[in-house]
Amino acid sequence: MLKNALQDLLPLLAKHGGQLDAVAFALLFILLLHYARAGLMGFAARWWRRRFPAPPAEPVPPAEPLPRRALPARGERVLSVRNALKRFGGLVAVNDVSFDVNAGEIVGLIGPNGAGKTTMFNLLTGTLRLTSGRVEFLGRDVTGMSQRLIARAGMSRTFQHVKLRPQMSLLDNVALGAHARAGAGVLGAGLRLDRREEAQILAEAQRQLERIGLGDRAHELAGSLPLGTQRILEIARALAADPVLLILDEPAAGLRRKEKLALGELLRKLRDEGVTILVVEHDMDFVMGLADRLVVMNFGSKLVEGRPAEVRANPQVQSAYLGGAGESAGGDAQGATVDGAAGTPGDGTGTGVAGS
C-alpha cells in the first residue's frame, strides 16, 4: 500500500518523482527494519509499553511440588536399541544399529555430517517410525509409540534448531515442558478449575530456571536472549517434564567458548543429580571432554563404541572424520546402501546416504 501511494504522490512533488519511488521506498523500508522490526503493530505495542509500563512482575509464589518419578539406580539400563533400521524408499538412513544407555551416564552419538545421528534421535523419540528393529526404554518396548506417550514415559529432547516461543517469558516457555505432568483438561482450564495445578507448574518452571542459573530473569521475553542462553532455556523446558533420559541434539551449536564451558558444567551437574543424557554433537573437543562413552556412526551404520580416548585413537574414526571412510571402513561399517545392494558392501553398487 505504501509503495502504491508513493508512486502516485512523488510525481506531484517532483518532475522526475516517478523515478524516485524505488529509492524512497527502499529508504522507508530500511527505516522500518531499523525501528519497527516487528511491523507497525509491533512498533505501536513497544511505544505503548514505554508510555504505560507494566507493573513489576511479582515473584512466583511457592506451591506444592509436582509429583516426581523415581530415577533408576546408577548403572541400570535405561535405553536399549536393537538392530534399528530406517528406510526412506530405497535408501537406508540407519542401518542395523544397536547400543545401550545406562543410568547416570552421558553418552555421545557422534559422526560426520550425514551419518544418520539426528535420524536415530527421531527414531528413539517417535518422530519417525522404525522400518524394523526394537527400542526399549526402562524395560518397556516403545517401538512405534507416539511422541506424546514416549515423552510421558520419561524421555525428553531438544532439537537441532531452537524451538522457543519468543514473545513468551522464560517462565512460560519452561512451564510448557511440564504440560505432560498436568491432569486438567480443556474444560477445567477454561473454567479456571486448574489454579492449584497451574501454580504447581509455574513453581516447577521457576525451580528449573534456578537450576540452570536463569532464576532472576524469569519474566524476560525468550526472544531477547542470545542463542547460547536460548539453548540452555530449552534444556530447562525439557527438564520441566521430569525426564529419566534427556536427549540433546547439538546443544553446543553456535555457542561461544564460555557458553560451551557453562553448558558442559550444567550437563555434568545434571548427570551427578541422576539424569541420564544422550547427546549428538559435532564439536569434538566439547563432546570428548563431556561424554562417559561414545557411539560413532558413519553412513548410517555404527562404526565403533567405547570410551572417548579409545574412540579418538581408533583408525576407523580418524578415517571417517578426515576422509576416505569408504575405503578404510566401508567393509566393516557397511554404510547405507540402495536396496538390493545391502548384501554386497564394497562392490561399488551401494550408495551412502546422508541421514542426519
Side-chain angles (χ1 to χ4, degrees):
M1 291 171 61
L2 183 60
K3 187 173 184 180
N4 291 336
L6 287 172
Q7 290 174 340
D8 294 335
L9 181 63
L10 287 175
L12 301 176
L13 300 178
K15 182 177 179 181
H16 301 289
Q19 302 173 10
L20 298 175
D21 65 299
V23 176
F25 183 72
L27 179 62
L28 290 172
F29 198 72
I30 290 171
L31 292 173
L32 186 72
L33 288 175
H34 187 71
Y35 292 107
R37 296 180 187 178
L40 294 178
M41 289 304 299
F43 177 79
R46 191 173 62 182
W47 175 85
W48 182 269
R49 285 196 297 267
R50 284 203 304 263
R51 184 78 180 270
F52 305 102
E58 296 181 1
V60 178
E64 181 183 349
L66 288 168
R68 297 191 64 187
R69 58 169 55 93
L71 296 176
R74 190 173 296 274
E76 184 178 329
R77 184 173 297 171
V78 169
L79 181 73
S80 179
V81 182
R82 290 291 171 266
N83 308 112
L85 179 72
K86 179 59 182 178
R87 286 192 176 95
F88 293 99
L91 296 176
V92 181
V94 174
N95 186 19
D96 196 31
V97 175
S98 300
F99 63 91
D100 296 323
V101 178
N102 299 322
E105 68 174 350
I106 299 177
V107 176
L109 185 62
I110 66 172
N113 287 332
K117 306 180 296 296
T118 296
T119 301
M120 174 57 71
F121 266 26
N122 290 336
L123 295 172
L124 298 178
T125 55
T127 308
L128 294 173
R129 296 294 181 92
L130 281 161
T131 303
S132 66
R134 182 182 178 91
V135 177
E136 288 186 3
F137 178 60
L138 297 175
R140 179 184 179 188
D141 187 359
V142 297
T143 310
M145 272 191 185
S146 68
Q147 298 178 67
R148 180 175 61 87
L149 291 178
I150 291 175
R152 284 182 179 273
M155 193 186 302
S156 293
R157 71 168 293 182
T158 64
F159 290 84
Q160 192 170 353
H161 303 289
V162 173
K163 295 182 182 293
L164 295 172
R165 297 291 180 264
Q167 297 303 317
M168 292 173 64
S169 68
L170 276 63
L171 184 71
D172 288 338
N173 267 281
V174 175
L176 290 174
H179 78 279
R181 302 167 67 182
V186 174
L187 181 61
L191 296 175
R192 295 304 309 273
L193 302 177
D194 64 338
R195 295 185 184 185
R196 176 176 174 274
E197 190 176 76
E198 185 175 341
Q200 289 179 294
I201 289 175
L202 290 175
E204 175 68 16
Q206 180 66 37
R207 188 178 78 84
Q208 297 301 341
L209 284 172
E210 290 170 358
R211 195 177 185 184
I212 64 167
L214 293 175
D216 58 341
R217 305 177 67 179
H219 298 286
E220 293 183 23
L221 295 182
S224 67
L225 299 178
L227 176 62
T229 311
Q230 288 187 20
R231 290 194 178 278
I232 292 177
L233 182 64
E234 278 200 315
I235 294 174
R237 185 178 59 188
L239 290 171
D242 189 28
V244 172
L245 177 62
L246 182 62
I247 296 182
L248 307 176
D249 195 349
E250 298 193 31
L255 270 60
R256 297 185 291 261
R257 183 175 180 275
K258 279 189 174 181
E259 293 172 330
K260 289 179 183 179
L261 292 174
L263 175 62
E265 185 177 341
L266 171 63
L267 296 182
R268 281 187 284 268
K269 176 186 171 186
L270 294 175
R271 176 193 59 190
D272 294 341
E273 292 175 2
V275 179
T276 307
I277 299 172
L278 177 62
V279 57
V280 159
E281 186 51 62
H282 279 295
D283 189 321
M284 290 297 291
D285 288 337
F286 176 78
V287 76
M288 287 284 181
L290 175 70
D292 302 302
R293 192 161 47 86
L294 295 173
V295 177
V296 186
M297 292 183 65
N298 192 33
F299 292 118
S301 298
K302 187 173 90 169
L303 193 62
V304 69
E305 179 179 351
R307 299 278 179 185
E310 299 168 357
V311 169
R312 189 193 295 270
N314 189 288
Q316 290 180 312
V317 175
Q318 294 174 4
S319 179
Y321 273 96
L322 298 177
E327 298 174 7
S328 64
D332 294 324
Q334 297 184 14
T337 60
V338 174
D339 277 352
T344 55
D347 64 358
T349 61
T351 302
V353 64
S356 185

